[in-house]
Amino acid sequence: MNKYPLLISFALLYWGFNTENIAVSVLFMLLLESHRIIKFRWDFSTKDFNMISIISTLASIGYLVYFTNSNQNIGFISSYLQFLPIILFPLNFFYLYSTAEYINAKKLFLLFVVNKYSIVHPYTKRFQPDYIFFASLLIGGSVTEGIFSIAALILLVLPILFFHKSKNYKFITWIIGIISVIIIAIIIQFSFAYTFFFMKDVLTDLYLDYFIKHTDRSSAIGNIGSMKGDFKIELRAEIYNFGKPYYHLKSEVFNTYMNGIWRTSETGSDKLPQDYFEYGKTEVDSMRVFFFSSGKNTYLKLPFTTSSIFGISQNQMRINSLGRITINDPQYLTDYKVYSRKDSIINLFSEPDINDLTMISTDAELINPLIDSLHLKGMSLNRLHHTLSNYFISEYRYSLDYIEQKDNNKLKNFIDNKEGHCELFATLSCLIFRKLGYPSRYVTGYLVSEYNEMEELHVARKKDRHAWIYVNDNIGNWYEFDTTPPDISFNRSGSGFFSKVYDKVSYLYYRAFMFRKYNNDLFQNVLLLSIIPLALFLLYRILKGVKYRGNEKKDKFRSHYKIIEELSQLQDKLKNNKIEDHETLSKWFDRIGDIIDDNEKLNIIQNLYYQKRYFSKEFTEELEKELKKHISTLQ
């Protein structure tokens, strides 16, 4: 990749940004770019590179073993491709700092099992790791799609198109080339991201589902707090008739608490029952929700009084006993309508069970003094909520400092220090209601209060993630209670200029996916028509470049070092003492030193050759003349 300075570095940043490995990518970039400054090279032999290739192969196998035995929420293939640049980095690093122009890569990824008649065989003998490293960065970074990713891909591929252009190119040919690069970038982004998104690596999912499946989902106190500084838009909504200043949209519901972690217990799953409204006779509120889903399963975001959902196939939806609704195999941009009845508080939650009243003894000891001091025993449900909310507003302080605590005493620290945020307010309130005999559940989701004038939609950002509770009145009705001080929980301003720029880009991204959703056939046809000629062209190039076995003898004495003119002259002078395929350049100079009388002159030639080969920009015309003079007079 010497023709394209800094291109690998920019590709590293692209990969690091998309895979959240930015620190690693910057470190790799500094190590690789330093080869332009550091003036030494290792003289590795073919055997040395075979050992480095084996290390990369073992690292690859090790990652496969690690992934298979860990419960990860992303597919194996996409995860492996994101990790591939880390596996290939050592090989590329030592190649850049070596004297070799290319290496033998038979030992890389077990390529030594490929027989000599295959198409791959010739390329393993004369392999340049920097090209495959660059390709792995583009592919690994393309697993996650986005507007910035497509733009970055275009900028990374355009220099290659520019350097390879012919002097005879007409302007229209150049424009067609640029358009082709843009199409290829979009294909790579959408093809990789959507292939892994929809396939979700079937074999890995089967393994995880049937052998190491974890049925217990959990949420540690602090997960939401860590997102409070992030202004990324995660959800959009059109809201009709509700008329509130803010809206709770639940995502997950939990019923078991211990040591700072909420879990679900004995939940089960069933098809979602639906109520159908007779319009004009039943008053309803409605909401249309848009969010970008990820993974094979995702949870719908719903208001408390939801009774019907439209826009998603009923066969895709499942509801567990706590009221969490899962959608299987969603589209990337999920879009659905929610209806709520104004004349009823009946909703999608099941009857309470023993888990909704359970607490451990240490938690009961923590909250008993609080219950006694506020005289909460015997209060009605609404009065209890009112008293508890007022107490938190007057006596407690909103704070995110606690989220870094590593111990299991977050709830105790919250009560002692009287500061925390929604997760702790909700947890303590839930346990108090349970202690007083009211079945309660802990809920996470979004608190939507921001109306975006540009989009004419309500938006929820990561900072709007929230926690609150559901409480049952013991006569069949569930109520939604939020005891976090309201002035803290939903009146949080934006982050200035960069937030506004991000909002505009995010909106364009959203509109692009809306356009794609409703013009899906058009996109499929464009992609198909683009991929077919590209595939045929690549097939032609691959087959054209294949060398037949009969031509291999001609390359028998071809060196894996770059043959510049002076080295060719030296080899011609020495006739039968040319560089052998198995020996390094320094060993060759040592060998011919044994048969040449003037070793001092040979040392001068060797040093001058290295200067020209690796630091050509500093090699003056005087040094060029000196090198040629010494070669011509060498006996």
Side-chain angles (χ1 to χ4, degrees):
M1 301 290 292
N2 291 328
K3 295 180 181 178
Y4 321 112
L6 297 177
L7 198 59
I8 283 184
S9 295
F10 286 121
L12 272 166
L13 292 177
Y14 164 75
W15 166 78
F17 179 80
N18 278 350
T19 60
E20 299 181 356
N21 287 308
I22 192 68
V24 175
S25 68
V26 171
L27 175 62
F28 283 3
M29 181 184 71
L30 293 175
L31 290 173
L32 296 182
E33 287 302 321
S34 296
H35 89 281
R36 305 179 191 279
I37 303 170
I38 298 174
K39 298 185 177 181
F40 74 86
R41 295 294 182 269
W42 285 297
D43 201 3
F44 289 125
S45 66
T46 300
K47 184 178 179 181
D48 297 326
F49 277 115
N50 280 340
M51 293 301 295
I52 299 170
S53 298
I54 290 172
I55 291 172
S56 294
T57 303
L58 291 175
S60 178
I61 295 172
Y63 183 74
L64 301 185
V65 174
Y66 161 75
F67 184 93
T68 305
N69 290 280
S70 62
N71 183 24
Q72 301 201 25
N73 293 323
I74 55 177
F76 157 66
I77 299 175
S78 56
S79 174
Y80 181 78
L81 288 179
Q82 290 181 50
F83 190 74
L84 186 59
I86 297 177
I87 296 172
L88 291 174
F89 174 78
L91 188 64
N92 188 62
F93 173 80
F94 288 114
Y95 166 72
L96 284 178
Y97 284 90
S98 75
T99 57
E101 179 69 11
Y102 54 84
I103 66 173
N104 190 319
K106 283 186 176 183
K107 303 294 185 182
L108 181 65
F109 302 142
L110 307 180
L111 289 176
F112 61 87
V113 301
V114 177
N115 68 58
K116 58 187 177 182
Y117 301 105
S118 69
I119 292 177
V120 179
H121 182 67
Y123 302 105
T124 62
K125 294 177 65 178
R126 300 184 184 91
F127 183 75
Q128 292 179 297
D130 50 351
Y131 283 95
I132 191 173
F133 184 68
F134 179 72
S136 72
L137 292 171
L138 294 187
I139 294 172
S142 298
V143 171
T144 304
E145 67 171 321
I147 291 177
F148 293 115
S149 298
I150 294 175
L153 265 177
I154 294 170
L155 293 176
L156 285 169
V157 179
L158 276 177
I160 300 176
L161 180 68
F162 176 79
F163 283 111
H164 279 290
K165 74 180 188 302
S166 168
K167 292 181 179 179
N168 298 323
Y169 268 18
K170 296 180 180 178
F171 179 73
I172 186 65
T173 309
W174 176 244
I175 294 299
I176 292 174
I178 293 176
I179 295 173
S180 301
V181 168
I182 294 173
I183 292 174
I184 291 170
I186 294 173
I187 290 172
I188 291 175
Q189 274 283 286
F190 281 87
S191 296
F192 278 111
Y194 274 92
T195 297
F196 299 127
F197 178 73
F198 286 113
M199 287 177 57
K200 201 65 171 74
D201 312 315
V202 176
L203 293 177
T204 304
D205 282 341
L206 288 174
Y207 178 82
L208 294 176
D209 285 341
Y210 292 104
F211 291 95
I212 57 173
K213 181 178 180 181
H214 292 266
T215 57
D216 176 36
R217 291 192 56 82
S218 63
S219 177
I221 293 177
N223 288 349
I224 295 176
S226 62
M227 303 176 188
K228 287 296 182 179
D230 195 324
F231 285 79
K232 178 182 177 182
I233 295 176
E234 292 198 314
L235 179 146
R236 292 170 169 84
E238 292 178 340
I239 299 174
Y240 305 98
N241 303 328
F242 279 87
K244 297 178 181 179
Y246 59 91
Y247 310 91
H248 291 84
L249 296 185
K250 75 173 177 70
S251 178
E252 296 192 61
V253 187
F254 303 89
N255 64 350
T256 303
Y257 174 78
M258 183 179 294
N259 297 330
I261 297 177
W262 280 97
R263 292 185 171 88
T264 58
S265 301
E266 301 178 8
T267 59
S269 179
D270 202 355
K271 286 188 177 181
L272 177 68
Q274 294 275 43
D275 289 339
Y276 295 94
F277 299 108
E278 190 174 347
Y279 289 97
K281 295 186 178 180
T282 306
E283 288 191 72
V284 296
D285 291 326
S286 59
M287 178 183 296
R288 187 177 183 184
V289 181
F290 311 87
F291 72 95
F292 289 100
S293 57
S294 60
K296 186 175 181 180
N297 300 322
T298 192
Y299 306 126
L300 295 189
K301 285 64 176 169
L302 305 168
F304 174 63
T305 54
T306 295
S307 53
S308 287
I309 303 165
F310 296 97
I312 298 175
S313 170
Q314 193 166 345
N315 292 328
Q316 288 180 278
M317 292 187 289
R318 293 290 185 272
I319 184 169
N320 71 3
S321 63
L322 304 183
R324 183 184 71 206
I325 298 176
T326 305
I327 173 175
N328 299 319
D329 302 317
Q331 291 187 354
Y332 188 55
L333 177 61
T334 305
D335 168 13
Y336 55 94
K337 292 181 180 178
V338 175
Y339 295 94
S340 303
R341 295 181 58 158
K342 290 183 177 180
D343 61 346
S344 174
I345 58 173
I346 296 173
N347 45 57
L348 299 172
F349 304 111
S350 64
E351 292 295 320
D353 60 29
I354 189 63
N355 291 303
D356 299 320
L357 285 167
T358 302
M359 68 170 60
I360 61 175
S361 58
T362 52
D363 290 335
E365 292 173 3
L366 280 176
I367 64 175
N368 279 334
L370 184 59
I371 291 174
D372 293 338
S373 64
L374 294 177
H375 309 290
L376 299 179
K377 291 181 180 178
M379 284 188 182
S380 65
L381 189 60
N382 286 331
R383 187 183 171 196
L384 180 57
H385 172 233
H386 182 73
T387 302
L388 201 56
S389 298
N390 288 339
Y391 171 70
F392 285 143
I393 290 172
S394 62
E395 300 295 331
Y396 278 65
R397 186 176 73 89
Y398 188 95
S399 171
L400 295 172
D401 294 340
Y402 80 95
I403 63 176
E404 298 299 330
Q405 297 173 7
K406 302 299 182 184
D407 57 45
N408 294 326
N409 296 319
K410 291 179 180 178
L411 191 62
K412 182 178 184 302
N413 293 337
F414 175 58
I415 295 173
D416 292 342
N417 300 324
K418 292 183 169 52
E419 61 178 35
H421 91 291
C422 61
E423 293 167 282
L424 287 166
F425 285 104
T427 299
L428 181 56
S429 300
C430 187
L431 296 178
I432 289 174
F433 278 106
R434 288 186 177 186
K435 184 63 178 177
L436 295 173
Y438 293 103
S440 305
R441 294 171 180 172
Y442 174 84
V443 190
T444 61
Y446 297 86
L447 191 59
V448 184
S449 62
E450 179 184 351
Y451 182 76
N452 191 306
E453 297 288 346
M454 177 183 67
E455 300 190 21
E456 296 183 343
L457 295 169
H458 284 82
V459 297
R461 307 175 187 273
K462 269 194 174 181
K463 74 178 184 65
D464 296 318
R465 294 279 186 97
H466 194 51
W468 62 99
I469 61 174
Y470 292 152
V471 182
N472 192 276
D473 61 3
N474 286 317
I475 59 173
N477 299 311
W478 286 96
Y479 291 85
E480 182 176 57
F481 291 153
D482 187 356
T483 56
T484 303
D487 59 326
I488 295 296
S489 54
F490 61 84
N491 289 331
R492 295 172 66 85
S493 59
S495 59
F497 172 77
F498 290 105
S499 177
K500 293 176 182 177
V501 172
Y502 162 77
D503 284 357
K504 290 180 181 178
V505 174
S506 176
Y507 177 63
L508 292 174
Y509 185 56
Y510 156 72
R511 292 305 307 175
F513 269 90
M514 286 295 290
F515 175 79
R516 182 184 185 281
K517 182 174 181 178
Y518 291 105
N519 295 274
N520 197 45
D521 292 340
L522 173 64
F523 270 84
Q524 287 181 346
N525 292 334
V526 170
L527 288 175
L528 182 62
L529 293 174
S530 303
I531 290 172
I532 290 175
L534 178 64
L536 292 174
F537 174 73
L538 290 176
L539 182 62
Y540 163 74
R541 294 287 302 186
I542 291 171
L543 295 177
K544 182 184 177 184
V546 174
K547 291 183 174 62
Y548 295 100
R549 188 185 177 199
N551 294 333
E552 290 184 0
K553 292 182 179 179
K554 297 179 181 178
D555 300 324
K556 182 176 180 181
F557 297 105
R558 179 173 176 177
S559 169
H560 63 302
Y561 298 102
K562 183 176 182 181
I563 308 296
I564 62 176
E565 180 184 354
E566 286 75 13
L567 188 58
S568 298
Q569 292 174 7
L570 258 178
Q571 291 193 101
D572 290 340
K573 267 184 168 291
L574 297 171
K575 297 181 181 178
N576 295 326
N577 291 294
K578 295 184 178 181
I579 301 173
E580 299 292 346
D581 187 52
H582 64 276
E583 66 182 338
T584 65
L585 191 61
S586 60
K587 287 183 179 179
W588 179 70
F589 273 109
D590 291 340
R591 179 165 63 84
I592 64 174
D594 295 335
I595 60 175
I596 292 178
D597 296 333
D598 196 347
N599 283 330
E600 183 179 351
K601 183 177 290 187
L602 182 63
N603 289 334
I604 294 173
I605 292 173
Q606 182 178 357
N607 291 330
L608 288 171
Y609 168 77
Y610 279 134
Q611 289 183 49
K612 181 174 182 180
R613 170 66 178 84
Y614 299 110
F615 310 104
S616 57
K617 291 182 179 179
E618 303 171 11
F619 201 73
T620 63
E621 291 185 8
E622 288 76 12
L623 293 174
E624 180 90 36
K625 291 178 182 178
E626 183 181 353
L627 175 59
K628 290 184 176 181
K629 182 185 76 172
H630 284 301
I631 291 175
S632 62
T633 58
L634 185 69
Q635 298 298 324

